[in-house]
Amino acid sequence: MLSLLGFITRPPRQFLPFLCTGHRLPRISLLCTQPRPRAMAASSSTNWELPLVAVCQVTSTPNKQENFKTCAELVREAARLGACLAFLPEAFDFIARNPAETLRLSEPLDGDLMGQYRQLARECGIWLSLGGFHERGQDWEQTQKIYNCHVLLNNEGLVVASYRKTHLCDVEIPGQGPMRESNSTMPGPALEPPVSTPAGKVGLAICYDMRFPELSLKLAQSGTEILTYPSAFGSVTGPAHWEVLLRARAIESQCYVIAAAQCGRHHETRSSYGHSMVVDPWGTVVARCSEGPGLCLARIDLNFLQQMRQHLPVFQHRRPDLYGSLGQPLS
């Protein structure tokens, strides 16, 4: 069930309403944050002319059809509320109990499940960011491993971009248990150029990628206006790092950041932090979900983004001659 809609309140004459009227959601969450600088608060467009995006939060399980039913309900509600683009989290298709089950449940991009999402996008007339699809690639027969693939569908249900996660999460966090994504997943070979959408130019990333500012800066330099980090953050790293990292990526790249997240308990051995959110280029969290499955809405103001980049021209001030080798390991 839909449970939550988050939006921001601002001072009079300066706030952006993020809620369409006539909604049917049973609960509304108000998020109060610091206002933008006065000189940059106003947009040349009226609030209702700005593109509306929806960020969906779910609790995936090993049951792919139940997961699709939940995601489809959120997407249809997002479309009804007027969103032009809906973002789903990493592993929206399923979260398995072990690597063997992950491999068994995986599908190719031209499989039945992605076909259902393509039809959903067409029926709703909405773009879909499907972050973290368990993809059997063309090398499946040779490697017996999959890709963690972020798929972008347009409102005609066509695949316009697919990014395969380049940074795999092989970590050991005390209290959270070890994670070895590379046991079942191959790293992607490259970044994808930003894609023009009704909300702006979208750059594709996935979860653990947010810990690598080089990636977000590269996407920003390529023209990205909206960074996306569909995720399934854990219960230990979530409270400590989730919001901090997302706001940092927004500020340093001067982009909007949209992070759809998994939440709650997926099965007996795994749970996720949730707190899906949208961050503007000033670093303000302009929309967020809290507990449980649901969605939040935000309007994307690209005029504000351009003002930010004009007033704080950090990309013109960079010194690649001093730190051009930041991708190297620590010595």
Side-chain angles (χ1 to χ4, degrees):
M1 291 296 292
L2 301 180
S3 64
L4 174 61
L5 182 69
F7 63 96
I8 183 172
T9 57
R10 298 192 186 279
R13 300 180 181 272
Q14 294 183 16
F15 68 24
L16 281 175
F18 290 106
L19 175 64
C20 292
T21 57
H23 63 88
R24 296 193 301 264
L25 301 184
R27 270 194 305 153
I28 299 173
S29 172
L30 297 180
L31 173 63
C32 297
T33 60
Q34 71 272 25
R36 294 167 175 169
R38 186 176 300 274
M40 294 188 286
S43 169
S44 60
S45 302
T46 63
N47 292 337
W48 300 108
E49 292 174 345
L50 298 174
L52 185 73
V53 299
V55 186
C56 303
Q57 182 166 283
V58 301
T59 306
S60 291
T61 71
N63 188 323
K64 291 196 289 186
Q65 282 308 305
E66 284 300 314
N67 296 336
F68 174 75
K69 181 180 177 181
T70 298
C71 291
E73 182 182 1
L74 289 168
V75 168
R76 291 190 178 100
E77 185 68 8
R80 191 191 68 80
L81 290 169
C84 63
L85 205 160
F87 296 81
L88 291 174
E90 182 181 30
F92 67 94
D93 50 351
F94 65 86
I95 290 182
R97 298 177 183 85
N98 53 61
E101 187 176 44
T102 295
L103 295 175
R104 180 175 61 80
L105 293 174
S106 63
E107 296 186 18
L109 284 183
D110 59 358
D112 292 341
L113 185 60
M114 189 55 63
Q116 290 179 280
Y117 279 96
R118 293 179 64 180
Q119 181 178 351
L120 179 66
R122 287 193 299 270
E123 289 176 356
C124 295
I126 192 171
W127 286 59
L128 294 180
S129 163
L130 305 174
F133 176 74
H134 297 86
E135 179 206 4
R136 290 190 184 185
Q138 294 181 350
D139 55 359
W140 164 255
E141 294 296 333
Q142 292 76 37
T143 66
Q144 292 295 293
K145 288 188 176 184
I146 61 174
Y147 291 97
N148 191 340
C149 185
H150 187 164
V151 182
L152 189 63
L153 303 180
N154 67 13
N155 59 350
E156 297 178 348
L158 300 177
V159 177
V160 295
S162 56
Y163 161 74
R164 291 160 182 87
K165 188 178 182 183
T166 50
H167 302 96
L168 300 184
C169 190
D170 288 359
V171 300
E172 294 188 20
I173 306 296
Q176 191 168 287
M179 177 170 286
R180 292 286 181 271
E181 190 173 13
S182 63
N183 284 349
S184 59
T185 306
M186 297 283 290
L191 303 182
E192 288 294 314
V195 179
S196 293
T197 77
K201 294 180 180 177
V202 171
L204 305 180
I206 301 172
C207 198
Y208 190 57
D209 286 334
M210 77 176 67
R211 294 186 180 274
F212 302 89
E214 302 93 335
L215 183 151
S216 59
L217 294 176
K218 178 66 174 177
L219 289 175
Q221 288 171 335
S222 300
T224 293
E225 297 164 325
I226 303 169
L227 291 166
T228 56
Y229 293 105
S231 298
F233 247 56
S235 57
V236 174
T237 54
H241 297 163
W242 172 249
E243 182 174 327
V244 175
L245 285 169
L246 294 172
R247 295 180 68 187
R249 296 297 83 84
I251 293 168
E252 71 197 4
S253 66
Q254 298 182 318
C255 290
Y256 278 88
V257 166
I258 297 180
Q262 291 282 343
C263 68
R265 181 161 292 278
H266 309 288
H267 47 70
E268 56 274 11
T269 60
R270 176 127 182 227
S271 60
S272 293
Y273 177 62
H275 295 79
S276 304
M277 65 178 62
V278 180
V279 186
D280 74 10
W282 184 249
T284 300
V285 178
V286 296
R288 78 163 88 223
C289 298
S290 57
E291 302 300 326
L295 59 82
C296 61
L297 301 174
R299 294 194 179 272
I300 303 299
D301 188 346
L302 297 181
N303 289 327
F304 172 66
L305 180 147
Q306 293 303 325
Q307 290 178 46
M308 277 288 308
R309 294 180 176 182
Q310 291 170 9
H311 288 285
L312 284 170
V314 293
F315 282 94
Q316 298 177 30
H317 300 157
R318 294 195 181 279
R319 292 286 306 275
D321 58 310
L322 300 181
Y323 39 77
S325 60
L326 280 179
Q328 301 298 320
L330 295 177
S331 58

